[in-house]
Amino acid sequence: MNKFFHLSLLGLALALAGCASGPTWYKPNATTADLSRDRTMCMQKSQTGHMGYQKMNSEGAFNSAHYEIDSNLFADCMYDNGWKQK
């Protein structure tokens, strides 16, 4: 699987996560760019899943990876990077 595909999946996951109601992260003196960077890094670190899952997308192509985010690993990563939930 190529890197672009994995980054596309990560982007989709981040976009969907932004639409869901959930905790708001706060870190003194941090910018939105800092939050975006740390969220992306923590999303990558907290991925679970497997290769080989076949599902046809809306364009008729097959996706061959399925990943989920372990919310506990994600939160631990954010806390480790100095973020707190509001």
Side-chain angles (χ1 to χ4, degrees):
M1 203 41 39
N2 67 29
K3 188 175 182 176
F4 177 75
F5 178 74
H6 286 195
L7 290 174
S8 296
L9 285 178
L10 180 61
L12 177 61
L14 288 173
L16 292 175
C19 295
S21 62
T24 301
W25 294 96
Y26 173 77
K27 182 177 180 179
N29 302 316
T31 65
T32 53
D34 295 331
L35 175 59
S36 179
R37 180 197 64 234
D38 288 347
R39 281 188 64 184
T40 299
M41 177 188 60
C42 290
M43 293 279 277
Q44 290 172 338
K45 286 184 175 184
S46 62
Q47 284 182 357
T48 62
H50 61 279
M51 298 298 287
Y53 177 79
Q54 294 287 317
K55 182 177 180 181
M56 186 180 292
N57 66 21
S58 61
E59 288 83 35
F62 284 94
N63 297 328
S64 60
H66 176 74
Y67 293 99
E68 293 179 3
I69 302 299
D70 181 316
S71 60
N72 292 326
L73 290 175
F74 176 79
D76 289 345
C77 178
M78 292 296 282
Y79 292 132
D80 289 347
N81 283 284
W83 294 91
K84 296 181 180 8
Q85 290 183 1
K86 283 188 176 178

